[in-house]
Amino acid sequence: MRILSMPKVTIVAAMLAAACSSANALTIPTNALEANSVQVFSKAALNSYKLFGISIKPMGNATAVAGTTDSFNLPVTSITVGLSGGIQIQKGDAKGSALEISRVDPETGDKKGLTVANFTIDYLKQQVLADTTPIGGTTKSQAPLYSFEMLSPLSVKYQFPLTITAKEQLGNLRIIDVEGTVDALGIDPDLGAAVIPAIDFGVINIDIGVKFRSKPVSTKPYVPAI
């Protein structure tokens, strides 16, 4: 992993001044930096989606990675670090990003699916959380989406000047609410329950850099259209 430094004192001061801190944690906005999380869906996940006629559509801040059909960029808008017992990452947020996962029911012609938005990586629980909204349903705020394993850890060191270890990879993504996912997509519950738990949905690659974006990404939560 490479370590990047912010050479300008003014940049460090601005970030720390904007951060919301408490005695035990510090939240640092990263929406103005080239800070990205990229979910790369596994071939097994895409094959299962193809089996059920499911498509993935990026919404809000999220974008498809150019030249790919399996990767979606979800800009990291903030990170929170714990300050007691040594510095450690507690969570990272990708507010304003969303993925619509949907299919058209071949029997009725109705669109089925769900939107997952405003992602949070909870390092303490080793879960990815998201506001989950079934089409035509009610949003569950920050519902558990995936469990994960840390394949390559990210660490943040607060020194003068600020340094950031900029790369991390999370893997073995497993859907937590299988029943809710199957129900929202309107697929056969027995088939869905047999297939989905066996699938590793891929990896999330995180890269927090010190280069400024040409335009900061929005930190406003994404809300699906009714």
Side-chain angles (χ1 to χ4, degrees):
M1 293 186 291
R2 61 191 174 90
I3 297 198
L4 304 177
S5 298
M6 285 190 181
K8 296 184 179 179
V9 175
T10 53
I11 296 175
V12 180
M15 289 184 67
L16 295 180
C20 300
S21 62
S22 67
N24 298 315
L26 178 70
T27 298
I28 301 174
T30 57
N31 62 304
L33 300 177
E34 287 290 350
N36 298 299
S37 60
V38 176
Q39 181 170 355
V40 183
F41 285 88
S42 66
K43 288 184 178 180
L46 294 180
N47 286 340
S48 70
Y49 280 175
K50 184 177 180 180
L51 172 67
F52 295 118
I54 297 170
S55 62
I56 308 168
K57 181 180 179 181
M59 312 286 280
N61 291 340
T63 56
V65 175
T68 74
T69 58
D70 61 357
S71 302
F72 298 88
N73 184 33
L74 316 168
V76 179
T77 52
S78 68
I79 58 172
T80 299
V81 296
L83 302 178
S84 60
I87 293 173
Q88 61 177 339
I89 302 289
Q90 292 183 345
K91 68 172 187 170
D93 293 317
K95 292 191 183 301
S97 290
L99 297 175
E100 181 188 78
I101 301 169
S102 65
R103 63 187 286 269
V104 175
D105 190 314
E107 295 183 1
T108 65
D110 294 334
K111 186 177 181 180
K112 302 284 188 178
L114 66 162
T115 299
V116 287
N118 309 314
F119 303 90
T120 296
I121 296 175
D122 186 331
Y123 292 91
L124 302 180
K125 294 182 179 180
Q126 290 195 297
Q127 292 181 346
V128 178
L129 314 176
D131 295 342
T132 304
T133 310
I135 293 174
T138 303
T139 299
K140 293 182 180 179
S141 179
Q142 294 297 282
L145 179 61
Y146 297 116
S147 61
F148 67 81
E149 294 178 2
M150 188 80 70
L151 301 184
S152 176
L154 174 143
S155 61
V156 176
K157 298 178 181 179
Y158 290 96
Q159 300 177 6
F160 188 81
L162 181 65
T163 60
I164 303 176
T165 305
K167 291 190 181 295
E168 174 187 50
Q169 186 177 71
L170 313 178
N172 194 23
L173 303 180
R174 303 283 176 167
I175 287 182
I176 294 174
D177 185 7
V178 174
E179 183 177 346
T181 301
V182 168
D183 183 62
L185 288 166
I187 60 181
D188 180 88
D190 292 332
L191 181 59
V195 172
I196 292 177
I199 298 172
D200 175 353
F201 275 78
V203 299
I204 297 176
N205 297 313
I206 299 172
D207 189 343
I208 300 175
V210 295
K211 182 180 178 181
F212 281 95
R213 297 183 188 275
S214 57
K215 181 181 179 181
V217 297
S218 172
T219 58
K220 183 178 179 180
Y222 180 86
V223 179
I226 297 175

